Amino acid sequence: LLRTLAAQQLLRDPRTVESAGGPIVRADGRERVNFSSNDYLGLSAHPALARAAADAARAGGWGAGASRLLGGTSPWHERLEHRMAAFRGRPAALYFSSGYLANLGLLAGLGTEAVTYFSDERNHASVIDGLRLSRAARHVYRHADVDELRRLLRAHGAGTHRVIVTDAVFSMDGDVAPLEALARESDADLVVDDAHGTGVLGPQGRGTPRGAGIEPAAEVVTLSKAAGASGGFVVADADTIRLLKTRARPFVYSTAPPPAVCAAATASIDLMEQAEDRRAVLRRNIAHLRERLGAPGVTPIVPIVLGSVERALRASGRLWEEGFFVPAIRPPSVPEGSCRLRISLTALHRPEHIDGLLDALAKV
Ligand SMILES: Cc1ncc(COP(=O)(O)O)c(C=O)c1O
């Protein structure tokens, strides 16, 4: 397998980079402008996060010691979940070690034989894995194609609980799902993974659904991107959250995230909510790059589709030599033949970083 993947140029081998959370990384003794990070608001190096973590570690120890079902819920976990529920304006939230695990916990945990899932073909791997681990039937609709979804809804899942699952912002394309149209499907519930909209879209960064004026049955949120922290949530009504505490295996069978991580995560929600200045800079950066590339959109994820694995790797390598870190995205992260550069913008990029990237792109 190793040899086959290597021959297909599909073997991944992450670079070693040093970063202090800013727009510059150091690697091979040289600095490069970083367009690979989802730290959209540039909060990961904020001193308030390190302070909150250090205080909690002193008071609560580092490791949580057990899963919460065995060891109980600490005040740091409780405060964090209340804070997240309030941030999203929903009754309850459950914290997982990552957004990946939140999707697994929700979709596999509640996906019994009595459920039928309808899933966008470009949903994140953690959504796909959650569906695969479930016992529910599943149907995949063409990307953002509401008409095809309606046909599938008419044809499948009669007598079961139908659930539409979609990313709010698609992680490799940077486009936004047609949430209002999906929410209008009255014979199905909607689950939205808002990993990339959180902190970026909606009033005070409260997320894509809020910005679209809809309230899905459940939202999956992660703090690993715009919040600059880590850990994922399911945010929903109180009964769904009660059920997940029994059914979500990544919650039941995994040691709870450390109190220090919870404290930093809570601080990150405060920062993210108040970060209007940073959101304004991010919006300017998004408009600047997208306008110059002729790529309309509102999110900080800007793909440049090049086609073959070779082209994408070559372009990424040339940019690296020119001083820019822009990852090449290959299958299985994207469909074959649609390999791409994935540019990720943050509030810490300055106009000259973006202009420099545009000049370098013109050469590759
Ligand atoms: C759409 C989407 N959902 C979920 C995740 C997983 O979140 P986390 O990195 O917190 O595991 C990611 C990114 O990693 C993502 O892009």
Side-chain angles (χ1 to χ4, degrees), residues 98-101 103 124 126 167 169 171 193 195-196 222 224-225 231-232:
S98 71
Y100 184 98
L101 292 173
N103 269 326
H124 188 257
S126 55
D167 288 5
V169 174
S171 57
D193 174 346
H196 294 277
T222 177
S224 62
K225 307 193 190 292

Side-chain angles (χ1 to χ4, degrees), residues 3-88:
R3 272 195 302 275
T4 307
L5 288 172
Q8 294 169 334
Q9 293 189 285
L10 293 178
L11 201 58
R12 321 291 180 91
D13 187 13
R15 295 179 185 285
T16 301
V17 292
E18 294 166 41
S19 162
I24 306 294
V25 292
R26 280 190 74 79
D28 315 330
R30 255 188 77 188
E31 291 190 337
R32 286 170 177 90
V33 188
N34 186 13
F35 286 100
S36 75
S37 170
N38 301 320
D39 181 15
Y40 300 124
L41 297 174
L43 292 175
S44 72
H46 197 290
L49 304 189
R51 226 172 14 242
D55 290 348
R58 258 193 305 278
W62 184 259
S67 77
R68 285 165 60 185
L69 292 190
L70 288 183
T73 286
S74 80
W76 291 279
H77 292 84
E78 218 156 59
R79 270 199 294 276
L80 171 59
E81 288 171 346
H82 283 136
R83 185 68 186 88
M84 174 50 76
F87 175 65
R88 302 299 286 205

Side-chain angles (χ1 to χ4, degrees), residues 116-132:
T116 307
Y117 284 127
F118 298 84
S119 173
D120 188 291
E121 67 180 351
R122 302 232 180 124
N123 278 340
H124 188 257
S126 55
V127 169
I128 296 169
D129 292 354
L131 300 182
R132 286 180 180 161

Side-chain angles (χ1 to χ4, degrees), residues 179-256:
L179 292 183
E180 289 109 316
L182 298 179
R184 275 198 296 273
E185 292 307 313
S186 54
D187 56 355
D189 271 338
L190 180 60
V191 169
V192 175
D193 174 346
D194 200 21
H196 294 277
T198 298
V200 175
L201 299 177
Q204 291 175 291
R206 290 177 200 278
T208 321
R210 182 77 78 92
I214 65 154
E215 189 167 287
E219 299 175 27
V220 173
V221 176
T222 177
L223 295 179
S224 62
K225 307 193 190 292
S230 74
F233 299 81
V234 176
V235 189
D237 62 276
D239 278 348
T240 299
I241 298 303
R242 275 185 65 204
L243 195 51
L244 285 174
K245 287 178 185 169
T246 295
R247 292 283 304 181
R249 292 165 72 87
F251 176 82
V252 174
Y253 294 107
S254 187
T255 298

